Amino acid sequence: MKLRLIVLLALLGLAMSEVFQHQITKIKSARRRMREQGTWKDHLARKELKRLYKQQHPKTFATVSQNVNDWEDMEYVGNITIGTPGQPFAIILDTGSSNLWVPDVTCGSGGGDCNTDSGCNQQGIVCELLCDDPNCCSGAKSAFSRVFRKRSGKVACTGKHLFNSSLSSTYQQNGQSWEIEYGSGSASGFLGVDTVSFGAAGTQQLVVPKTTFGQATDIADVFAQDPAIDGILGLAFTSLAVDNVIPPFINAVNQQLVDQPIFTVYLEERGDIDNTPGGVFTYGGLDTKNCGPVIAYQPLSSATYFQFSIQSIGVGSFSSNAGWDVISDTGTSFIGGPQDVISAIGQAVGATYDDQEGAYFIDCNANPGPVTITIGGKQYQLPKKNTVTDAGQGQCFWDFFPFDFGGFGPSWILGDPFIRSYCNVYDVGQQRIGFTTVTASGK
Ligand SMILES: *[C@@H]1O[C@H](CO)[C@@H](O)[C@H](O)[C@H]1NC(C)=O
Ligand SMILES: *[C@@H]1O[C@H](CO)[C@@H](O)[C@H](O)[C@H]1NC(C)=O
């Protein structure tokens, strides 16, 4: 009897102790790609105009959800499959949002996009400024349009993997519409339900049946700048999700498909290299190969983003212990913080802000001390190799940017420079976040 119980438990344990490792790839971000092509400043100018217009005309944009991420900075991609048999997609694994979407096979063919993008209802130059597809705007195109428009929104799906629901035996219709606005462009479409599997086909996948996801029928032209990326997979909480859709990992937790309701992120520092192994997402457990033991857990102050409080930040002669709410965000390649603090830090390390580039630059040979962030009484250090990155043409970025959430929510975005310095353990079940050193075998 006793023996049988033990065997039973062992079997049960075996069936439930599922930990899945997901290799990811580092790619060149759209920002870096556009800088090399010389189109970045135009893109930034248009984006800034659009942002200002929206601030002054909030009523025109009723359905815009707030999202911290700009598509153009995302650098780490992973493979997933959707449907049965699995159709492959390369997606951004983003702890700063909560929806999964990929381009649908009908992407760009509907013609309904002019109606769903509220910017396209505007007249004249305002339409050209705000609408993601200038072909939706009536009348002659201005010089403005020619300067800022490189391509139509309708071709943004070209070259991407497209989801064809007719080819999947497990697909279920939903049909509800969705729209997500990122800083740099929007995506919209309808919802469907199918099996979503984390990891590439042919590897050990985390298979999550009955997952609701977005089938994009329209994606803004900025998405086309990243040929390596099909869509985004949000890993934050349901409360942040557009249309309250349950995010894939939360769905996996709800269906008890993983050992523990946590995932661990290890990001590799690869410099400005395109298409190289970039780290590992471990679902259901810790990453014992690349990450050390957990130094400490910090309770989340809000389980929307992975939001928590930090006590202080300092570098060189600068230090402030004002205390802030921050988020840990794999989808942002820099660290964002309040303007006054960022500019004081920039000054302390000798970095200068370039308005036209929308970025800080620093002498590549400069040797700023580590940036120290205090969380729960423990100090975490971000070394130069994770905060100064190659910007090409002999220039280096200082990986910080001024960020204003508008009075609500977090004050800082701890993006990839932080996560490259410490593995982050996203504990969904206990609503806390843990940090570990990156071990030698992971470096
Ligand atoms: C992802 O899939 C592509 C093929 O679509 C493949 O070339 C690449 O090696 C895969 N990457 C990983 C990390 O599995
Ligand atoms: C989607 O798959 C169906 C079934 O094989 C096929 O008939 C259809 O042409 C595909 N759609 C597109 C746009 O490729």
Side-chain angles (χ1 to χ4, degrees):
M1 182 64 193
K2 210 169 185 184
L3 190 69
R4 256 168 90 187
L5 193 68
I6 290 167
V7 170
L8 198 70
L9 280 174
L11 278 174
L12 220 71
L14 199 69
M16 289 176 68
S17 281
E18 294 280 28
V19 175
F20 301 85
Q21 296 224 298
H22 194 174
Q23 295 287 334
I24 55 169
T25 305
K26 180 143 192 305
I27 56 155
K28 209 176 278 255
S29 69
R31 181 206 289 255
R32 290 179 198 221
R33 208 179 299 275
M34 283 189 260
R35 284 189 86 238
E36 285 169 15
Q37 293 163 351
T39 57
W40 172 248
K41 288 183 186 176
D42 279 359
H43 170 75
L44 201 64
R46 175 173 177 268
K47 185 175 129 182
E48 190 58 18
L49 285 171
K50 185 166 177 169
R51 194 182 64 78
L52 287 175
Y53 185 88
K54 283 190 174 184
Q55 256 176 15
Q56 284 156 19
H57 302 79
K59 292 217 175 67
T60 322
F61 299 90
T63 62
V64 173
S65 72
Q66 196 146 35
N67 204 301
V68 294
N69 288 343
D70 278 5
W71 176 267
E72 60 239 5
D73 270 330
M74 299 186 175
E75 293 190 329
Y76 293 92
V77 298
N79 288 339
I80 60 166
T81 60
I82 304 180
T84 311
Q87 301 176 35
F89 298 93
I91 45 81
I92 298 287
L93 292 159
D94 180 21
T95 60
S97 67
S98 298
N99 288 79
L100 165 64
W101 63 265
V102 295
D104 189 68
V105 78
T106 59
C107 186
S109 64
D113 48 325
C114 301
N115 302 322
T116 58
D117 182 345
S118 45
C120 308
N121 303 332
Q122 310 300 312
Q123 300 299 313
I125 194 164
V126 179
C127 179
E128 290 171 42
L129 176 60
L130 299 176
C131 175
D132 281 324
D133 183 352
N135 295 323
C136 297
C137 304
S138 55
K141 301 292 175 286
S142 63
F144 180 85
S145 188
R146 287 193 295 277
V147 171
F148 289 114
R149 287 297 170 184
K150 295 292 186 275
R151 64 183 100 204
S152 144
K154 285 187 188 292
V155 300
C157 289
T158 308
K160 299 197 180 298
H161 292 105
L162 306 174
F163 180 72
N164 185 343
S165 62
S166 314
L167 297 175
S168 174
S169 62
T170 41
Y171 180 75
Q172 295 169 359
Q173 281 184 347
N174 173 306
Q176 187 181 343
S177 68
W178 59 274
E179 177 171 12
I180 302 176
E181 179 87 9
Y182 297 90
S184 40
S186 62
S188 61
F190 58 94
L191 298 177
V193 182
D194 210 333
T195 300
V196 170
S197 304
F198 290 79
T203 66
Q204 193 207 5
Q205 291 181 303
L206 166 56
V207 179
V208 193
K210 296 190 170 50
T211 298
T212 305
F213 66 104
Q215 298 170 246
T217 52
D218 285 290
I219 59 181
D221 55 354
V222 65
F223 295 99
Q225 304 282 354
D226 254 313
I229 300 170
D230 298 312
I232 295 182
L233 192 157
L235 287 162
F237 292 88
T238 311
S239 50
L240 196 66
V242 169
D243 287 354
N244 264 312
V245 171
I246 296 172
F249 182 72
I250 306 285
N251 197 18
V253 169
N254 291 349
Q255 295 182 46
Q256 298 178 316
L257 301 175
V258 287
D259 185 16
Q260 300 173 63
I262 68 173
F263 61 94
T264 305
V265 177
Y266 156 64
L267 294 185
E268 220 167 323
E269 169 47 25
R270 300 306 303 237
D272 189 19
I273 316 171
D274 200 12
N275 209 12
T276 54
V280 180
F281 279 59
T282 302
Y283 306 105
L286 299 171
D287 178 344
T288 49
K289 176 169 179 285
N290 301 301
C291 309
V294 175
I295 299 164
Y297 284 99
Q298 178 71 10
L300 298 183
S301 49
S302 165
T304 46
Y305 298 100
F306 288 91
Q307 185 171 329
F308 55 99
S309 59
I310 65 172
Q311 291 160 313
S312 67
I313 190 160
V315 59
S317 59
F318 174 84
S319 161
S320 170
N321 52 12
W324 302 271
D325 254 23
V326 306
I327 63 171
S328 167
D329 182 9
T330 56
T332 296
S333 55
F334 287 173
I335 290 181
Q339 173 108 44
D340 53 335
V341 185
I342 293 293
S343 95
I345 292 180
Q347 212 158 29
V349 301
T352 49
Y353 192 72
D354 183 326
D355 260 333
Q356 284 191 314
E357 291 269 6
Y360 274 97
F361 289 87
I362 189 169
D363 180 352
C364 298
N365 297 318
N367 208 353
V371 175
T372 303
I373 299 176
T374 310
I375 308 168
K378 295 220 157 38
Q379 294 195 336
Y380 298 88
Q381 298 201 320
L382 284 50
K384 176 187 172 182
K385 70 175 167 106
N386 288 334
T387 52
V388 176
T389 50
D390 187 2
Q393 295 136 17
Q395 294 180 297
C396 280
F397 286 124
W398 167 243
D399 294 352
F400 288 75
F401 65 97
F403 159 75
D404 179 7
F405 210 96
F408 302 95
S411 318
W412 289 79
I413 302 172
L414 301 184
D416 300 340
F418 177 70
I419 302 164
R420 281 197 294 264
S421 304
Y422 293 89
C423 293
N424 279 212
V425 182
Y426 300 85
D427 189 334
V428 169
Q430 298 195 53
Q431 304 198 342
R432 60 183 186 168
I433 187 161
F435 312 104
T436 93
T437 52
V438 175
T439 62
S441 63
K443 270 181 185 157

